[in-house]
Amino acid sequence: MSEAKPKSTPADGIRPRGNPKPRRGKSRPQGPRDQTPGEEKPREEKPTPADAAPEVDGQAGPPPEAIEPDPQLTPEEAEQARKKYLLRRFWISGRGYWGRQGDKLAWPLSIGLLILIVINVGFQYGINVWNRAFFDAIEQRNVHTVYVLSAIFLPLVAGSASLVIAQVYLRMTMQRRWRSWLTTSVIARWLTNGRYYQLNLVAGDHSNPEARLTEDLRIATESPVDFISGVIIATLSASTFIVVLWTIGGALSFTLGGSTFTVPGFLVITAVIYAAITSTSMVIIGRDFVRLSEEKNQSEAEFRYVLTRVRENGESIALLGGEEEERSGIDRTFAGVLKRWAQLTGQHMRTALVSQGSSLFAPVVPVLLCAPKFLEGSMSLGQVMQAASAFAIVQGAFGWLVDNYPRLADWNASARRIASLMMSLDGLERAEQSDELGRIKHGETEDGAMLSLDNLSVTLDDGSSVVKETKVEIEPGERVLVAGESGSGKSTLVRAVAGLWPWGGGNVNFHAGRRLFMLPQRPYIPTGTLRRAVAYPAAADKWTIKQIKAALYKVGLGYLTDRIKEEAPWDQTLSGGEKQRLAFARLLLHRPDIVVLDEATSALDETSQDTMMMTVIRELPDVTIISVAHRAELEAFHSRKITLERREGGAKLVSDIDLVPRKRKRSLLKRALWGSGSGASNRG
């Protein structure tokens, strides 16, 4: 059923709009009825197996303030400001790893890594000094000193190598734990209150969230640790060996035009100028790296999504013979991937030219600069080699940007993509805490009714009305059919009742302690065994094999009982009708107090539909049923029918009639009819 979608998300801007207001009204009771709300999103919190638990549990704080664009900015400037904010938004969440609710090992790992870096730079200095002593001994033909220094060299190398190994361990452990913490945090926010579903209803830059939560988040947490440790190493190395260059090289004097000029610390000045030239060249040449990396990541995500869609809908595509059209779509998407890669290849070629040229010149430049002093006897061979080694280290430190600019650009793109998802989640979370957009409240009934809709309105997140104020009470054991033409808001109303649609007003109240279960038109079939598929969303071992087989027989799937322990792609193996029968088997196992059927028999023929409904009524005689359906035949299995009519400004409830004569007057029923305003009852 086609429903209107919201037009925007509260997180679209780039300017603070103030603090969100606290949420008002009754909080939703967390009784047993919330433990099995339906097949799309289980709310039952089960213990996580130790082998499946994340290494570090992330805890997200409140969302940052809403932002919106400065009206004085041009569209291009506003987009640049938004992209700049995205990096800030990533760090707002990412730095929590080192906060009070972060990982307890975050600071020990960080401090330990810093200590190892400092010690390793000390070892580098020791090897640099060894270079001078060793080549001086060779120049002086001092055999004893050469042997002694050769023996010393092995412990220096072993110590430095051990430190590097320890650095790798601490660095990768920190990356792994940071990724675990942030991934757990974002996924927890993504799954809370059905936001993973609500993202499909709002506009924003959050397409392909699965790619953002995997590849993009991995890069976004791995690269900063590499970058920061690289910057620290580069800073300490440059500081240490600039002193070495200044001390060894001294001043360079030369005569030009009859005048003598002296350049103090000429090796240091040369290293700085050399690094400045290469770094500036890299920045200029790679200025489009960030944009191209971002576009490449997005095109890769879209390509994966297209292939996933083909796999998930393989049966429909095969039955319709749509291979050529799908191939055409895949080719177009893949062509976009190749185009982005070709553009990125050009960038890599230009940066490789700068990087390779720098690496070839760096070892030669200091030797050429020191050659005059060595030839005139003011510098020993050991000093020349020490200067060459120190120059290479300083040049490597200064040229850190040259070597890492492509990775920095890739991180920039990935951090922005995961931050865009965070911003969309921020918008949904702020909407949950604010009264600006209007939120549907959930509570408990006060007069014994199973379900009551008290002035319920359903709107888009921009305030546009989908369903006008609706006031209905449903008694325990009633079977209510919700009817109306396509687009009248029936499915949206059902989503609001289930708590999946948050925007609107009024209250949805359930009887305290009652359990709700939903059967959508397209049941979700998890991976694994058939036993797990039938028991979902509960654990597969909650019921015995005998109980699950009995449920399958009751819904006409007895021929599958021999395969109950078989692991297979059941989502692809079962037909649409079989999936709906399996969903009814779940219903018989879970035995809820109230069930919502959203076109749950649409894939069944009329006879099978009648059999299924009679089975539910026989097996669960006291269950309260709310059905959304088009088939008139279903009226025979319901005691009441309410009809929605699509109108300008939102759908309205226009009739509420009894389908089965009642022995007593319904004292608990409260209803309000809209339309012409007559409020006439059609109850028979």
mmCIF file of all heavy atoms in Angstrom, residues 131-132 135-136 245 248 267 366-375 379-391:
data_model
loop_
_atom_site.group_PDB
_atom_site.id
_atom_site.type_symbol
_atom_site.label_atom_id
_atom_site.label_comp_id
_atom_site.label_asym_id
_atom_site.label_seq_id
_atom_site.Cartn_x
_atom_site.Cartn_y
_atom_site.Cartn_z
ATOM 1 N N ASN A 131 75.788 5.251 13.399
ATOM 2 C CA ASN A 131 76.220 5.471 12.018
ATOM 3 C C ASN A 131 77.489 6.310 11.965
ATOM 4 O O ASN A 131 78.444 6.004 11.233
ATOM 5 C CB ASN A 131 75.114 6.179 11.230
ATOM 6 C CG ASN A 131 74.214 5.196 10.488
ATOM 7 O OD1 ASN A 131 74.681 4.230 9.921
ATOM 8 N ND2 ASN A 131 72.924 5.442 10.531
ATOM 9 N N ARG A 132 77.475 7.404 12.737
ATOM 10 C CA ARG A 132 78.643 8.293 12.723
ATOM 11 C C ARG A 132 79.881 7.572 13.233
ATOM 12 O O ARG A 132 80.949 7.621 12.599
ATOM 13 C CB ARG A 132 78.351 9.512 13.587
ATOM 14 C CG ARG A 132 79.540 10.440 13.753
ATOM 15 C CD ARG A 132 79.172 11.681 14.523
ATOM 16 N NE ARG A 132 80.315 12.539 14.737
ATOM 17 C CZ ARG A 132 80.241 13.755 15.304
ATOM 18 N NH1 ARG A 132 79.057 14.214 15.709
ATOM 19 N NH2 ARG A 132 81.321 14.487 15.479
ATOM 20 N N PHE A 135 81.155 4.712 10.676
ATOM 21 C CA PHE A 135 81.831 5.159 9.457
ATOM 22 C C PHE A 135 83.108 5.947 9.768
ATOM 23 O O PHE A 135 84.041 5.953 8.964
ATOM 24 C CB PHE A 135 80.872 5.988 8.598
ATOM 25 C CG PHE A 135 79.876 5.141 7.854
ATOM 26 C CD1 PHE A 135 78.583 4.980 8.324
ATOM 27 C CD2 PHE A 135 80.251 4.472 6.703
ATOM 28 C CE1 PHE A 135 77.673 4.195 7.645
ATOM 29 C CE2 PHE A 135 79.343 3.681 6.022
ATOM 30 C CZ PHE A 135 78.053 3.530 6.491
ATOM 31 N N ASP A 136 83.145 6.569 10.936
ATOM 32 C CA ASP A 136 84.414 7.183 11.354
ATOM 33 C C ASP A 136 85.468 6.114 11.591
ATOM 34 O O ASP A 136 86.654 6.277 11.228
ATOM 35 C CB ASP A 136 84.205 8.013 12.626
ATOM 36 C CG ASP A 136 83.627 9.383 12.333
ATOM 37 O OD1 ASP A 136 83.674 9.815 11.156
ATOM 38 O OD2 ASP A 136 83.106 10.039 13.263
ATOM 39 N N LEU A 245 71.059 17.699 12.716
ATOM 40 C CA LEU A 245 71.476 18.356 11.475
ATOM 41 C C LEU A 245 72.125 19.704 11.751
ATOM 42 O O LEU A 245 73.126 20.078 11.129
ATOM 43 C CB LEU A 245 70.265 18.534 10.551
ATOM 44 C CG LEU A 245 69.724 17.287 9.835
ATOM 45 C CD1 LEU A 245 68.521 17.659 8.985
ATOM 46 C CD2 LEU A 245 70.807 16.655 8.952
ATOM 47 N N ILE A 248 75.659 19.001 13.363
ATOM 48 C CA ILE A 248 76.659 18.411 12.471
ATOM 49 C C ILE A 248 76.964 19.335 11.300
ATOM 50 O O ILE A 248 78.122 19.581 10.953
ATOM 51 C CB ILE A 248 76.168 17.047 11.947
ATOM 52 C CG1 ILE A 248 76.052 16.059 13.104
ATOM 53 C CG2 ILE A 248 77.114 16.497 10.891
ATOM 54 C CD1 ILE A 248 75.464 14.730 12.695
ATOM 55 N N LEU A 267 71.691 22.598 6.475
ATOM 56 C CA LEU A 267 71.017 21.314 6.259
ATOM 57 C C LEU A 267 69.561 21.363 6.735
ATOM 58 O O LEU A 267 68.666 20.800 6.096
ATOM 59 C CB LEU A 267 71.768 20.198 6.992
ATOM 60 C CG LEU A 267 73.131 19.807 6.408
ATOM 61 C CD1 LEU A 267 73.788 18.738 7.273
ATOM 62 C CD2 LEU A 267 72.975 19.306 4.971
ATOM 63 N N PRO A 366 71.401 15.380 0.933
ATOM 64 C CA PRO A 366 72.327 15.702 2.030
ATOM 65 C C PRO A 366 73.784 15.350 1.717
ATOM 66 O O PRO A 366 74.710 16.056 2.150
ATOM 67 C CB PRO A 366 71.787 14.863 3.194
ATOM 68 C CG PRO A 366 71.012 13.774 2.553
ATOM 69 C CD PRO A 366 70.424 14.370 1.334
ATOM 70 N N VAL A 367 73.989 14.249 0.965
ATOM 71 C CA VAL A 367 75.363 13.873 0.606
ATOM 72 C C VAL A 367 75.983 14.936 -0.294
ATOM 73 O O VAL A 367 77.147 15.336 -0.114
ATOM 74 C CB VAL A 367 75.378 12.502 -0.083
ATOM 75 C CG1 VAL A 367 76.794 12.162 -0.551
ATOM 76 C CG2 VAL A 367 74.856 11.419 0.865
ATOM 77 N N LEU A 368 75.208 15.424 -1.260
ATOM 78 C CA LEU A 368 75.707 16.482 -2.144
ATOM 79 C C LEU A 368 76.007 17.757 -1.365
ATOM 80 O O LEU A 368 77.001 18.452 -1.627
ATOM 81 C CB LEU A 368 74.682 16.764 -3.243
ATOM 82 C CG LEU A 368 74.418 15.627 -4.245
ATOM 83 C CD1 LEU A 368 73.323 16.032 -5.228
ATOM 84 C CD2 LEU A 368 75.707 15.286 -4.997
ATOM 85 N N LEU A 369 75.170 18.083 -0.401
ATOM 86 C CA LEU A 369 75.381 19.300 0.384
ATOM 87 C C LEU A 369 76.595 19.189 1.308
ATOM 88 O O LEU A 369 77.293 20.176 1.558
ATOM 89 C CB LEU A 369 74.126 19.614 1.220
ATOM 90 C CG LEU A 369 72.872 20.015 0.432
ATOM 91 C CD1 LEU A 369 71.690 20.158 1.373
ATOM 92 C CD2 LEU A 369 73.111 21.334 -0.307
ATOM 93 N N CYS A 370 76.836 17.984 1.814
ATOM 94 C CA CYS A 370 77.960 17.775 2.729
ATOM 95 C C CYS A 370 79.276 17.504 1.998
ATOM 96 O O CYS A 370 80.353 17.562 2.614
ATOM 97 C CB CYS A 370 77.666 16.603 3.675
ATOM 98 S SG CYS A 370 76.309 16.908 4.831
ATOM 99 N N ALA A 371 79.205 17.173 0.725
ATOM 100 C CA ALA A 371 80.409 16.809 -0.025
ATOM 101 C C ALA A 371 81.496 17.874 0.031
ATOM 102 O O ALA A 371 82.677 17.547 0.257
ATOM 103 C CB ALA A 371 80.042 16.484 -1.470
ATOM 104 N N PRO A 372 81.170 19.188 -0.166
ATOM 105 C CA PRO A 372 82.242 20.208 -0.099
ATOM 106 C C PRO A 372 82.981 20.199 1.233
ATOM 107 O O PRO A 372 84.217 20.300 1.275
ATOM 108 C CB PRO A 372 81.496 21.519 -0.327
ATOM 109 C CG PRO A 372 80.275 21.127 -1.097
ATOM 110 C CD PRO A 372 79.894 19.797 -0.551
ATOM 111 N N LYS A 373 82.250 20.091 2.334
ATOM 112 C CA LYS A 373 82.905 20.095 3.644
ATOM 113 C C LYS A 373 83.745 18.836 3.853
ATOM 114 O O LYS A 373 84.816 18.887 4.470
ATOM 115 C CB LYS A 373 81.846 20.204 4.752
ATOM 116 C CG LYS A 373 81.244 21.610 4.893
ATOM 117 C CD LYS A 373 80.541 21.746 6.231
ATOM 118 C CE LYS A 373 80.199 23.207 6.491
ATOM 119 N NZ LYS A 373 79.717 23.435 7.853
ATOM 120 N N PHE A 374 83.249 17.708 3.341
ATOM 121 C CA PHE A 374 84.023 16.482 3.490
ATOM 122 C C PHE A 374 85.313 16.550 2.671
ATOM 123 O O PHE A 374 86.384 16.146 3.142
ATOM 124 C CB PHE A 374 83.169 15.291 3.037
ATOM 125 C CG PHE A 374 83.922 13.993 3.021
ATOM 126 C CD1 PHE A 374 84.251 13.337 4.196
ATOM 127 C CD2 PHE A 374 84.338 13.418 1.809
ATOM 128 C CE1 PHE A 374 84.949 12.141 4.164
ATOM 129 C CE2 PHE A 374 85.038 12.226 1.783
ATOM 130 C CZ PHE A 374 85.338 11.574 2.968
ATOM 131 N N LEU A 375 85.212 17.098 1.453
ATOM 132 C CA LEU A 375 86.381 17.172 0.590
ATOM 133 C C LEU A 375 87.431 18.133 1.122
ATOM 134 O O LEU A 375 88.639 17.924 0.934
ATOM 135 C CB LEU A 375 85.962 17.574 -0.825
ATOM 136 C CG LEU A 375 85.088 16.535 -1.567
ATOM 137 C CD1 LEU A 375 84.626 17.095 -2.912
ATOM 138 C CD2 LEU A 375 85.854 15.226 -1.759
ATOM 139 N N MET A 379 84.629 17.944 7.633
ATOM 140 C CA MET A 379 83.577 17.006 8.034
ATOM 141 C C MET A 379 84.065 15.600 7.752
ATOM 142 O O MET A 379 84.599 15.323 6.672
ATOM 143 C CB MET A 379 82.276 17.302 7.281
ATOM 144 C CG MET A 379 81.100 16.413 7.678
ATOM 145 S SD MET A 379 79.566 16.831 6.786
ATOM 146 C CE MET A 379 79.108 18.342 7.597
ATOM 147 N N SER A 380 83.908 14.709 8.758
ATOM 148 C CA SER A 380 84.357 13.331 8.596
ATOM 149 C C SER A 380 83.309 12.522 7.836
ATOM 150 O O SER A 380 82.161 12.952 7.663
ATOM 151 C CB SER A 380 84.610 12.696 9.973
ATOM 152 O OG SER A 380 83.382 12.562 10.683
ATOM 153 N N LEU A 381 83.732 11.312 7.403
ATOM 154 C CA LEU A 381 82.808 10.425 6.709
ATOM 155 C C LEU A 381 81.649 10.041 7.620
ATOM 156 O O LEU A 381 80.495 9.966 7.185
ATOM 157 C CB LEU A 381 83.549 9.169 6.239
ATOM 158 C CG LEU A 381 82.680 8.115 5.526
ATOM 159 C CD1 LEU A 381 82.063 8.693 4.263
ATOM 160 C CD2 LEU A 381 83.526 6.874 5.214
ATOM 161 N N GLY A 382 81.952 9.817 8.899
ATOM 162 C CA GLY A 382 80.907 9.469 9.858
ATOM 163 C C GLY A 382 79.883 10.587 9.994
ATOM 164 O O GLY A 382 78.681 10.329 10.088
ATOM 165 N N GLN A 383 80.344 11.835 10.000
ATOM 166 C CA GLN A 383 79.423 12.967 10.092
ATOM 167 C C GLN A 383 78.554 13.081 8.837
ATOM 168 O O GLN A 383 77.374 13.419 8.907
ATOM 169 C CB GLN A 383 80.211 14.261 10.310
ATOM 170 C CG GLN A 383 80.825 14.372 11.700
ATOM 171 C CD GLN A 383 81.681 15.621 11.844
ATOM 172 O OE1 GLN A 383 82.472 15.942 10.941
ATOM 173 N NE2 GLN A 383 81.534 16.310 12.959
ATOM 174 N N VAL A 384 79.165 12.792 7.682
ATOM 175 C CA VAL A 384 78.390 12.833 6.439
ATOM 176 C C VAL A 384 77.273 11.793 6.476
ATOM 177 O O VAL A 384 76.109 12.077 6.139
ATOM 178 C CB VAL A 384 79.305 12.585 5.219
ATOM 179 C CG1 VAL A 384 78.469 12.435 3.950
ATOM 180 C CG2 VAL A 384 80.307 13.719 5.059
ATOM 181 N N MET A 385 77.610 10.570 6.913
ATOM 182 C CA MET A 385 76.610 9.510 6.954
ATOM 183 C C MET A 385 75.555 9.783 8.029
ATOM 184 O O MET A 385 74.364 9.495 7.839
ATOM 185 C CB MET A 385 77.287 8.163 7.209
ATOM 186 C CG MET A 385 78.310 7.781 6.131
ATOM 187 S SD MET A 385 77.666 7.900 4.430
ATOM 188 C CE MET A 385 76.380 6.685 4.461
ATOM 189 N N GLN A 386 75.988 10.352 9.157
ATOM 190 C CA GLN A 386 75.027 10.708 10.199
ATOM 191 C C GLN A 386 74.082 11.800 9.695
ATOM 192 O O GLN A 386 72.879 11.759 9.930
ATOM 193 C CB GLN A 386 75.742 11.170 11.466
ATOM 194 C CG GLN A 386 74.783 11.438 12.619
ATOM 195 C CD GLN A 386 75.483 11.941 13.869
ATOM 196 O OE1 GLN A 386 76.638 12.378 13.811
ATOM 197 N NE2 GLN A 386 74.790 11.876 15.001
ATOM 198 N N ALA A 387 74.662 12.767 8.990
ATOM 199 C CA ALA A 387 73.839 13.848 8.436
ATOM 200 C C ALA A 387 72.863 13.308 7.400
ATOM 201 O O ALA A 387 71.695 13.720 7.350
ATOM 202 C CB ALA A 387 74.736 14.916 7.821
ATOM 203 N N ALA A 388 73.331 12.382 6.558
ATOM 204 C CA ALA A 388 72.451 11.801 5.536
ATOM 205 C C ALA A 388 71.298 11.039 6.186
ATOM 206 O O ALA A 388 70.137 11.143 5.766
ATOM 207 C CB ALA A 388 73.248 10.881 4.624
ATOM 208 N N SER A 389 71.620 10.264 7.243
ATOM 209 C CA SER A 389 70.581 9.521 7.948
ATOM 210 C C SER A 389 69.592 10.465 8.626
ATOM 211 O O SER A 389 68.375 10.280 8.541
ATOM 212 C CB SER A 389 71.225 8.595 8.984
ATOM 213 O OG SER A 389 70.243 7.964 9.774
ATOM 214 N N ALA A 390 70.114 11.496 9.288
ATOM 215 C CA ALA A 390 69.251 12.464 9.973
ATOM 216 C C ALA A 390 68.397 13.238 8.969
ATOM 217 O O ALA A 390 67.216 13.508 9.215
ATOM 218 C CB ALA A 390 70.094 13.420 10.807
ATOM 219 N N PHE A 391 68.986 13.597 7.831
ATOM 220 C CA PHE A 391 68.246 14.334 6.805
ATOM 221 C C PHE A 391 67.082 13.497 6.278
ATOM 222 O O PHE A 391 65.968 14.001 6.082
ATOM 223 C CB PHE A 391 69.186 14.711 5.661
ATOM 224 C CG PHE A 391 68.546 15.605 4.626
ATOM 225 C CD1 PHE A 391 68.639 16.989 4.730
ATOM 226 C CD2 PHE A 391 67.852 15.071 3.549
ATOM 227 C CE1 PHE A 391 68.055 17.814 3.781
ATOM 228 C CE2 PHE A 391 67.263 15.889 2.596
ATOM 229 C CZ PHE A 391 67.360 17.266 2.716
#
